[in-house]
């Protein structure tokens, strides 16, 4: 099973971009622990080093749905800003969403058609007499590249595969970015007040736990109230 996930700061400030980078690390660590393969498809760097505005991750694994139950929604970090030390705010929210209805591009070398040709331009006598250049075409998308960097046909073929994959994936990224623009309202409407995960402190090693026992006390009060009503 495959899922395409976006971790985003929405239009949040620099602190939220920092949280995205920290959450991404924890997210990928937990994915690995749950034997889920991942691939970072696209990332948008933040305004400072070690920050990210958004990142798109492809997850593959049998337990992807179960894993995402603890992640999809808003994520809160409780801590003081390291960028604005005098800032009073301590709760920072980001969003984790699933990008649906995206057609994945399956790049397979079996789908490439290779053609050899004589290299063009300067390069000595061998350039125009030996078919060392390679034209590679990805049949499903009809994208093509022409490589003549080396005098070795084998080396040019290897380079053509790398460049063709980059070109095909660039088309996919464009499709992905269009989808992200369509779902931008999800990014700017990061739900607050009901996060699926909450982290505390700069180490990000543990989830924050509510130790006030307020919820438990309320439950006990209601049970006691109901019990008294039954006695009356």
């Amino acid at each position: 099973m495959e899922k395409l996930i976006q971790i985003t700061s929405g239009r949040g400030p620099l602190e939220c971009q920092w949280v995205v980078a920290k959450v991404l690390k924890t997210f990928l660590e937990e994915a690995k622990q749950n034997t889920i393969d991942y691939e970072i498809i696209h990332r948008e760097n933040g305004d400072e080093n070690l920050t990210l505005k958004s990142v798109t991750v492809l997850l593959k694994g049998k337990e992807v749905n179960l894993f995402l139950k603890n992640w999809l929604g808003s994520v809160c970090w409780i801590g003081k800003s390291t960028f604005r030390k005098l800032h009073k705010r301590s709760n920072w929210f980001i969003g984790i969403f699933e990008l649906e209805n995206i057609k994945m591009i399956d790049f397979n070398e079996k789908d490439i058609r290779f053609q050899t040709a004589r290299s063009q331009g300067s390069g000595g006598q061998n350039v125009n007499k030996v078919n060392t250049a390679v034209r590679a075409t990805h049949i499903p998308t009809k994208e093509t590249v022409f490589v003549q960097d080396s005098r070795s046909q084998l080396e040019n073929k290897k380079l053509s595969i790398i460049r063709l994959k980059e070109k095909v994936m660039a088309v996919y990224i464009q499709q992905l970015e269009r989808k992200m623009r369509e779902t931008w309202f999800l990014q700017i409407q990061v739900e607050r007040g009901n996060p699926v995960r909450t982290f505390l402190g700069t180490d990000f090693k543990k989830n924050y736990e509510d130790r006030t026992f307020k919820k438990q006390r309320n439950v006990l009060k209601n049970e006691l109230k109901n019990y008294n009503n039954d006695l009356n």
Side-chain angles (χ1 to χ4, degrees):
M1 179 175 289
E2 296 183 352
K3 293 285 186 179
L4 201 58
I5 305 302
Q6 186 179 44
I7 305 174
T8 174
S9 62
R11 291 182 177 175
L14 184 58
E15 290 81 2
C16 293
Q17 298 174 21
W18 179 82
V19 175
V20 168
K22 297 292 285 186
V23 165
L24 174 64
K25 181 179 178 181
T26 302
F27 182 85
L28 296 182
E29 287 175 352
E30 289 193 13
K32 188 176 181 179
Q33 292 169 5
N34 286 272
T35 63
I36 295 173
D37 295 328
Y38 62 82
E39 180 182 355
I40 295 179
I41 302 297
H42 180 260
R43 69 171 69 203
E44 183 179 358
N45 292 329
D47 298 321
E48 293 285 349
N49 290 335
L50 304 178
T51 66
L52 290 169
K53 291 183 179 180
S54 69
V55 59
T56 304
V57 184
L58 176 64
L59 299 179
K60 298 179 181 179
K62 294 181 180 180
E63 304 297 331
V64 169
N65 284 334
L66 183 62
F67 169 72
L68 289 176
K69 282 185 177 181
N70 296 320
W71 281 106
L72 293 181
S74 67
V75 174
C76 176
W77 173 65
I78 300 175
K80 292 296 182 181
S81 170
T82 57
F83 301 101
R84 296 177 288 175
K85 294 184 178 181
L86 299 180
H87 201 285
K88 295 181 180 180
R89 180 176 168 183
S90 60
N91 291 355
W92 311 91
F93 291 86
I94 67 167
I96 301 182
F97 307 106
E98 179 182 353
L99 294 175
E100 300 178 306
N101 302 321
I102 296 279
K103 185 179 179 181
M104 300 299 297
I105 295 179
D106 185 16
F107 186 88
N108 193 318
E109 291 185 20
K110 294 181 180 179
D111 295 327
I112 301 176
R113 182 177 66 246
F114 296 100
Q115 296 172 294
T116 58
R118 292 181 180 178
S119 296
Q120 303 170 357
S122 60
Q125 294 180 350
N126 290 334
V127 171
N128 296 319
K129 293 182 179 181
V130 182
N131 290 347
T132 57
V134 174
R135 184 180 301 278
T137 303
H138 185 243
I139 298 173
T141 61
K142 297 182 180 179
E143 296 293 336
T144 183
V145 295
F146 182 78
V147 179
Q148 58 176 4
D149 297 46
S150 172
R151 292 187 178 183
S152 166
Q153 185 183 115
L154 180 60
E155 288 299 318
N156 284 334
K157 184 176 180 180
K158 291 179 180 178
L159 284 172
S160 71
I161 295 174
I162 295 172
R163 293 178 185 175
L164 187 59
K165 183 176 182 179
E166 291 175 349
K167 191 172 184 179
V168 170
M169 290 308 297
V171 173
Y172 171 69
I173 293 300
Q174 290 175 359
Q175 178 189 15
L176 186 61
E177 289 176 342
R178 285 196 297 269
K179 183 64 178 180
M180 287 191 288
R181 285 194 292 269
E182 292 172 3
T183 58
W184 179 247
F185 70 95
L186 291 176
Q187 302 181 33
I188 64 176
Q189 293 179 1
V190 175
E191 182 182 0
R192 297 185 179 186
N194 188 30
V196 292
R197 300 285 287 266
T198 301
F199 294 93
L200 178 67
T202 56
D203 56 8
F204 251 74
K205 291 182 179 179
K206 295 182 180 179
N207 284 354
Y208 171 74
E209 296 181 6
D210 184 2
R211 299 185 180 274
T212 63
F213 300 103
K214 183 177 179 180
K215 292 182 179 178
Q216 291 88 331
R217 289 200 302 269
N218 288 336
V219 170
L220 291 174
K221 285 181 180 179
N222 290 331
E223 290 180 351
L224 181 61
K225 183 178 179 181
N226 293 332
Y227 177 73
N228 290 332
N229 291 336
D230 291 339
L231 290 177
N232 296 329

